[in-house]
Structures are given as structure tokens and as C-alpha cells.
Amino acid sequence: MSKLTLVELTNLPRKPHGCPPEVERSWARLVATHKSVAGLFTTLNELRSAQNDPRGPISEAHRDQVRAAIVFTAAGIDACLRTLLRDSLPTLLSTAGDAHGAFVSHFMSSRLTGEMTQATKKAVVDIDPRSALIDLYVEDLAGSSIQGAADLTRCRNALGLKKDPALDDAILKGHQPFFNARHEVVHELDLVDPSGKGSRGRRHRDLAAVGAQCDGALRLLHTFIAPTARAVRQVHRDLGWDKL
């Protein structure tokens, strides 16, 4: 293995201090995703080291391992952010602040303008309209999956983290190549010409580059989780919930 450049994830940063219940599930999903993706890279390294020449040609079987890592990482992003939004927003929206401002702005500029959709009407008259509206909000923010920097930006703003320098627009846009790769793998099987015409070859995937992309994406999730945990704890203190 010493002759082989390993594809590995860096260790996750430490769990947020005093991690509140509203963030626990998202953190657990991040840890599980990190473990799964790290396992894929371990298998990749073992497959390559078993070759007669570990530095020999990279096969499609090897590249399929990193393609799987892209899919697992993307699924983890979806699960972590959707859970973080769903679990933490009820608390964050309990006080005035950036998160509440983003919530009001979203509904005033979209769902409460013009003819309301049936889903919005049902949420308004629900036995628990606040929870129903938050559920709609999460669906609007995350859709069927997180597709790229624009979705990350909406999630950041919804959590009240727009002013966080570690999540500025340039940083989020820097992760767009990962999401482009996710789209190519999930929706096009990584074919050069997914229409089926012409070349049936598959895109080249640099193993180290994919490893770095997945690692960066998972560390980005921690950058969402940690300040959200702090914000939730602050709401607990402001409302006296930490004394209950």
C-alpha cells in the first residue's frame, strides 16, 4: 500500500459542543454518510493495491467506486440538510432574527401572492398550521434533492446563516462541480453521450479529485451544522428553555 496514493476522507471535525436535540439527527446522518463514503474509498484502495502493479491503469471498476462515493455523498447532503431544516427551524423561527426574516420573505414573495395553491391552503387551515407551513417551506427549499449552489444558498439563508463567512456565496459556488458530477452519474450513468448516439464511452473520473470533492462536501455539511447548533442553543437561552 505504500506505493499507492490513497484516496481517503479527512476526519470529521468534532461534534458541536452541547449539540442540541434539534441538531442531533442531522449530525448522526453526517457521521453515517462519512463512514459509508470512507468505506467505499477503503475498498477502492484495496482493489488497486491487489493489482500486480498498483500504479497501473485505473479500471472502470475502480471508477465505479468513486461514482458510488459521489452518489452516497450527495444522498448524505440531502438527508443532512433536509433533517437540519426540518428539526431546527421550529426552534429558530420561535424568535425574531435572520431565519424568521427569510421565512417571512419566502412566503410573502411566493406562496402568499396571487392565488394560493391547494397545498398552501391546506397548511393554513391545518390543526397545526405553523408546523404545516414549515413542512412546506422545507419542501420549497430542498425540493426532491439538493441540486447545487443555489439550493445550498437557500438552505443557508433559511437557517439564518447568510452572514456566516464560512458559507459565503463564493464558497458555496465552489462546490458546484461536485453537484455537476452527481448529475452526470445519477441521471446520465456518466456516459459521454447519454442520448445513446455516437460514443458509448464514460466520463473520465480522476480518483483523487473525486475524493477531494466528496471530502469537501462532507466538511461543508459540518459548516452548516455547527453554527446552526449554536443558534439553536442561543434560542434555548433567550426563551429560558435551557432552564426547564
Side-chain angles (χ1 to χ4, degrees):
M1 296 287 282
S2 60
K3 297 181 179 180
L4 184 67
T5 300
L6 302 179
V7 181
E8 296 178 312
L9 296 179
T10 57
N11 293 330
L12 283 176
R14 295 178 63 180
K15 183 178 181 179
H17 176 70
C19 189
E22 296 94 328
V23 180
E24 283 282 358
R25 289 203 310 148
S26 184
W27 173 257
R29 281 160 172 72
L30 173 55
V31 171
T33 302
H34 187 276
K35 182 178 180 180
S36 295
V37 176
L40 288 170
F41 288 148
T42 296
T43 300
L44 168 65
N45 294 329
E46 291 173 349
L47 287 172
R48 293 184 66 204
S49 67
Q51 296 180 140
N52 292 331
D53 179 4
R55 292 181 175 274
I58 296 172
S59 70
E60 279 301 305
H62 297 150
R63 290 200 173 94
D64 278 342
Q65 286 294 121
V66 297
R67 291 180 180 112
I70 290 171
V71 174
F72 274 52
T73 301
I77 292 172
D78 290 341
C80 289
L81 286 182
R82 190 179 297 275
T83 301
L84 188 64
L85 290 164
R86 196 175 301 281
D87 291 355
S88 65
L89 280 176
T91 297
L92 295 175
L93 297 178
S94 296
T95 61
D98 291 340
H100 189 266
F103 177 78
V104 172
S105 176
H106 174 79
F107 275 92
M108 294 300 290
S109 64
S110 59
R111 285 194 171 272
L112 298 182
T113 60
E115 179 65 24
M116 287 195 296
T117 65
Q118 193 65 23
T120 304
K121 292 177 182 178
K122 286 183 177 180
V124 170
V125 299
D126 191 88
I127 193 169
D128 184 359
R130 183 172 182 273
S131 294
L133 287 171
I134 290 174
D135 286 343
L136 275 183
Y137 189 36
V138 172
E139 290 304 314
D140 288 346
L141 292 169
S144 58
S145 63
I146 303 297
Q147 299 285 333
D151 291 338
L152 292 175
T153 299
R154 283 191 287 271
C155 293
R156 175 201 66 187
N157 296 348
L159 292 166
L161 304 176
K162 186 175 183 178
K163 299 174 184 176
D164 192 320
L167 291 170
D168 69 22
D169 291 349
I171 289 174
L172 298 185
K173 289 177 181 177
H175 290 275
Q176 188 59 46
F178 168 80
F179 289 98
N180 294 343
R182 171 218 179 261
H183 178 86
E184 291 163 353
V185 172
V186 172
H187 297 290
E188 300 175 359
L189 299 177
D190 228 12
L191 293 171
V192 174
D193 183 0
S195 69
K197 300 177 181 179
S199 172
R200 294 178 60 83
R202 302 177 81 187
R203 291 182 177 87
H204 172 79
R205 292 287 169 198
D206 181 85
L207 306 189
V210 172
Q213 284 182 333
C214 292
D215 189 60
L218 293 176
R219 293 179 71 83
L220 179 70
L221 285 175
H222 183 272
T223 310
F224 272 88
I225 289 172
T228 300
R230 291 194 295 270
V232 167
R233 291 200 309 271
Q234 185 61 53
V235 173
H236 287 184
R237 289 191 291 268
D238 291 345
L239 298 181
W241 294 354
D242 56 337
K243 300 176 182 178
L244 297 179

